[in-house]
Amino acid sequence: MSSLLPLMSLLLEMLSYPFMQRALLSGLVLGALLASLGVFVTLRRMAFFGDGIAHASLAGIAIAILAGVSPLPVALAWAVAIALLVYRLERNARIPSDSLIGIFFTASMALGVMLMRFTRGYQPDLVSYLFGNILSIRTSDVLLILLLSAAILFWLFLSIRPLTFLSIAEDSAAVRGIPVRFHTIILYVSLAMATVLGVKILGIVLVSALLILPSATSRLLTQSFKQYFIFSLIIAELAVFIGLSASFLFDLPSGAAVVLAGTGMFFLAATARTKK
Amino acid sequence: MVEDAHFQIPEGSIAALIGPNGSGKTTLMKAILGLIPLRSGDVFLFGKHAHQVRHLAGYVPQRFSFDGSFPITVREFLRLGQSRGCSPSVLREKIQEVGLTPLVLERRLGTLSGGQLQRVLIAQAILNNPSILFLDEPSTGIDVSGEALLHDVIQHLNREHGTTVFMVSHDLAMVSDMVDTVVCINRRILCAGAPREVLTHRTLAELFGDRSGVYEHWHDEVPHVHEKIRSHPNAH
């Protein structure tokens, strides 16, 4: 018991810093959001979507930096526009979503790189968006994260059955009277927003891991959808807490620490399953 | 594209849509269900525009590309399409109606055999007690014993509940034995009527070509269609 005391005091010290309070609060909320949406990302086999949207948001960030405005709202609007474009083309042009995401992800990233050419000097905002930075989270960011996450999680809570049904059997769901188009558009928009919000902590390069890792780990351990959903949430929250704590205690990059914590749990679950 | 698709099937009957691959069977079924927009024309179900009474329909699609490793139990799957949930007794009743035991409800969907999965899909489709059930090639990927069980389920739903059944099928023997109305399609409707009128050698040759691999014979003045057992050309 006494050996835990130094750890406890370190954790209490960590929680006394306002920037860590903001990081943990937004990280835990985002963990729940990304893990919940990740269940549908893996079910619909669109793991590339989060990665693509995160990278595509670079153009939005670059536009905001050039215009001298806050990057997060611009990146959000840009990502939502890309997601809606992907949805529309996917339905109308009959092009697979992974091809569309591949096109928009690279084109938007290229545009971002091109626009960055016109910015002058070192851009701390850009670096924090690329790799995630817990110090960069302002109170206004926390409020935006809480507001949007609450709205998306509320919709998800109300729509979990129809959304799961249409993700498994879209035509059957449509015949049953479920508004397939409405739910799919909301899912795409929610994914785009959640991914960009996650970029603040995890970074463009790593944010999609929190969409994939919790659900992939949970799948190894569970037998029912209810267990699967709950375990995904627990794994995401553990990864965020362990990762951010390690980031604070050992001065590590926050995004990398969270992803490595999640990856560690994935391998533990895979090992446990192999031994069964 | 399917043209000139004009046909009627009697309420409370079993009807089958037959035709070669690529003839538009699934397209026509999806168009009837409103899953594909019509270029022209109307679909009527029970005397009303189909979009007004689509809630009376149940549907089992041809392809169910479900990731077998996804953790969801049969019970959870059946409840997905119910906005207000579904009582355990209704789930037990429906699962028994398709010839499965209630123990199946606790199994993972991905662990079911092809025949069991198909019957679970039918149970899902009949949860709302549909007046008409659309089945797109229900016996695809099912072994012979599974097929027989599936046919029993379809006949049970039709006889006991008066459910109209409209299915796409490649199984001509089953069609000749079980259905009341056959609709032949090859990009347009070639014929429609009772099996004894429609399943003739001439019609089948027109529909599938001369090498259709079926023959007909008569029992009690009713034609029965069987698939020919053809030996391999190199066999001795």
Side-chain angles (χ1 to χ4, degrees), chain A residues 225-248:
Chain A
F225 186 68
K226 191 176 174 184
Q227 290 173 352
Y228 175 51
F229 207 92
I230 292 169
F231 267 68
S232 292
L233 290 176
I234 293 170
I235 289 160
E237 299 300 56
L238 278 173
V240 168
F241 186 76
I242 294 169
L244 290 184
S245 304
S247 172
F248 170 82

Side-chain angles (χ1 to χ4, degrees), chain A residues 161 171 176 219 223 225-226, chain B residues 67 69 76 85 108 124:
Chain A
R161 274 188 190 162
D171 283 347
R176 189 60 65 82
R219 187 179 281 222
Q223 295 295 318
F225 186 68
K226 191 176 174 184
Chain B
D67 175 0
S69 69
E76 288 173 322
R108 262 173 77 148
Q124 165 74 264

Side-chain angles (χ1 to χ4, degrees), chain A residues 39 42-43 45 160-162 164-165 168-172 174-176 178 218-219 222-228 273, chain B residues 30 35 54 57 59 61 64-67 69-73 76-77 79-85 108 124-125 128:
Chain A
V39 166
T42 49
L43 177 57
R45 300 185 183 105
I160 191 154
R161 274 188 190 162
T164 311
F165 192 26
I168 293 176
E170 187 173 307
D171 283 347
S172 300
V175 171
R176 189 60 65 82
I178 291 168
S218 178
R219 187 179 281 222
T222 54
Q223 295 295 318
S224 72
F225 186 68
K226 191 176 174 184
Q227 290 173 352
Y228 175 51
R273 191 183 159 98
Chain B
K30 286 188 169 185
L35 298 171
R54 202 155 283 141
Y59 173 54
F64 183 65
S65 55
F66 171 73
D67 175 0
S69 69
F70 187 75
I72 186 166
T73 63
E76 288 173 322
F77 175 70
R79 294 174 73 180
L80 290 179
Q82 305 298 307
S83 54
R84 290 180 185 174
R108 262 173 77 148
Q124 165 74 264
N128 285 357

